[in-house]
Amino acid sequence: MNTDFDKIVDRKPYNNVKFGLRKAYFGTEDIDPLWVADMDFEVAEPINNAIVKRAAHAVYGYPFADDDFKASVCDWQWKQNQWKVAPEWVSGLPGVVPALLTAVLSFSAPSDEVIVQPPVYFPFFDVIESVGRNVVKNPLILNNGRYEMDFDHLQKVITDKTKMLLLCNPHNPSGRMWTKSELTKLGEICAQHQVLIIADEIHSDLTLGGRKHQPIAKISPQISEITVTCSSASKTFNLAGLTCAYTIISSDTLRRKFDKMLSMTHLFISNVFGLEATSAAYRSGSGWLEELKLYLEETIAQMEVFFQENLPQVKMMKPEAGYLVWLDFSACGDPKAVRKKLIEEARVGLNHGSSFGAEGENFHRINIAVRRAEVFSALSRIQKVFSN
């Protein structure tokens, strides 16, 4: 396939969050935006061809996740993860965040508790608090530059009001891949206390360094029966603007409740092009994906050397999956002053770690799914500001 990931693609003239909301988020447009978790890379040709083909039929009525879409999901999960998913377990909807919200609405009541493990993807907090549920934190432990789950603390914070735990697998923002042993222990604790697991596995295809993703629902029938897996091709194949995702729920009881809520909110309707693009990606996008991962791995390897040689006071957490890199600026002073310098002096727009929870206050998240030259241009400016 030989994709040119160094190709310059000008996104500025087109409506997108990355460039269009710079001033709203950073207070200025004079920055290099490396924040929003989508890519600057053009999609694989088979995906684009599928969209063009569907567009030629110029009637865009309500679509749904049909048998063909569900089959593509099942085939992909088997190919990627050796996870045998039945088509009837699959439900389509517009996005993973709507899936998380639907799960919270389906399986809890106002004032119930939902556990999160910060620092973590910030919409986790929103989907809980926006509907009157209570966030309970089970913070991750930072041990020698690597996050670990605190199982002893988890056992202590579970109460009779605790209905579910939102799991980020792989972890966003750090790119940490949870091991089978860790996920098994987490699943067993949740099963013991009848706590549902809502697993966001949207970054699971972007595994790096030959690693294999472990779906938590695959571990055992017992854990599968308490798990709602939420995923999408959007992060893997750069399809976020096509608003298409899916859930995998093996429990008939949970799936009926979830699908009932989808029906009530009309969230069972996905994007007509998103459905086509997802099926095409899962059937014909593997080659492009492997090339992407090699490109990301090389960028990450060069970043490691850069920080070691030029900016050792900023600690880079090497991601095991995904294209988001978690940077620790703890040694650079006050977090607010650091953010101000990044924006006003380095002219780089990163996600401030505090948005992922107070536990991320000294961190910033950088999106490296852009041309490598752009990544290092931004890092060079950061070096000039913080090298002293």
Side-chain angles (χ1 to χ4, degrees), residues 11-231:
R11 298 181 63 186
K12 295 187 190 72
Y14 301 91
N15 180 11
N16 62 82
V17 169
K18 175 176 179 173
F19 287 97
L21 296 185
R22 283 176 296 175
K23 188 170 181 62
Y25 192 81
F26 299 102
T28 178
E29 293 187 350
D30 185 25
I31 58 160
D32 189 3
L34 298 172
W35 59 308
V36 176
D38 62 12
M39 305 188 225
D40 283 356
F41 308 136
E42 293 179 338
V43 301
E45 186 177 358
I47 298 174
N48 209 52
N49 291 342
I51 294 172
V52 171
K53 180 180 178 181
R54 178 61 184 85
H57 177 67
V59 178
Y60 310 131
Y62 291 119
F64 68 101
D66 61 5
D67 291 343
D68 183 70
F69 174 84
K70 292 181 179 181
S72 73
V73 170
C74 295
D75 292 346
W76 182 255
Q77 288 295 336
W78 177 255
K79 180 178 180 180
Q80 292 294 107
N81 305 314
Q82 290 72 57
W83 182 21
K84 190 167 184 176
V85 173
E88 60 268 22
W89 298 357
V90 179
S91 299
L93 71 169
V96 162
V97 174
L100 299 175
L101 177 60
T102 300
V104 172
L105 289 170
S106 299
F107 308 123
S108 68
S111 80
D112 280 343
E113 298 170 350
V114 181
I115 296 174
V116 298
Q117 297 174 306
V120 73
Y121 182 47
F122 43 86
F124 276 29
F125 302 96
D126 297 336
V127 300
I128 299 167
E129 295 172 331
S130 64
V131 290
R133 278 63 167 172
N134 296 323
V135 171
V136 174
K137 291 186 176 182
N138 171 223
L140 299 175
I141 300 171
L142 186 57
N143 186 7
N144 293 322
R146 180 179 172 86
Y147 284 119
E148 298 174 354
M149 294 189 191
D150 190 340
F151 295 112
D152 291 337
H153 181 265
L154 175 61
Q155 294 268 28
K156 293 175 183 177
V157 298
I158 294 175
T159 72
D160 291 340
K161 297 286 288 181
T162 307
K163 301 304 177 184
M164 66 188 72
L165 178 147
L166 302 190
L167 170 68
C168 207
N169 178 37
H171 182 248
N172 175 9
S174 73
R176 170 78 159 83
M177 290 183 65
W178 306 115
T179 65
K180 183 176 181 180
S181 175
E182 290 170 314
L183 293 171
T184 299
K185 190 165 185 177
L186 179 73
E188 289 174 348
I189 291 172
C190 289
Q192 175 189 349
H193 294 280
Q194 297 182 315
V195 172
L196 300 180
I197 299 169
I198 314 302
D200 173 358
E201 302 198 356
I202 196 170
H203 296 275
S204 62
D205 299 324
L206 293 162
T207 55
L208 304 172
R211 296 177 179 86
K212 296 292 292 182
H213 170 66
Q214 174 63 63
I216 189 169
K218 181 190 170 190
I219 290 174
S220 71
Q222 180 190 35
I223 295 174
S224 181
E225 283 295 295
I226 62 167
T227 299
V228 173
T229 301
C230 311
S231 195

Side-chain angles (χ1 to χ4, degrees), residues 1-5 43-47 76 79-80 236-237 280-295:
M1 193 169 285
N2 297 319
T3 305
D4 181 9
F5 293 107
V43 301
E45 186 177 358
I47 298 174
W76 182 255
K79 180 178 180 180
Q80 292 294 107
T236 310
F237 293 101
Y282 282 171
R283 292 198 167 109
S284 305
S286 295
W288 183 92
L289 175 57
E290 292 308 308
E291 291 178 358
L292 169 67
K293 293 199 288 187
L294 288 174
Y295 188 83

Side-chain angles (χ1 to χ4, degrees), residues 237-259:
F237 293 101
N238 205 23
L239 307 176
L242 297 182
T243 57
C244 182
Y246 56 87
T247 55
I248 300 172
I249 310 173
S250 64
S251 165
D252 291 339
T253 301
L254 294 184
R255 193 171 61 256
R256 280 195 293 268
K257 287 184 179 179
F258 187 89
D259 286 349

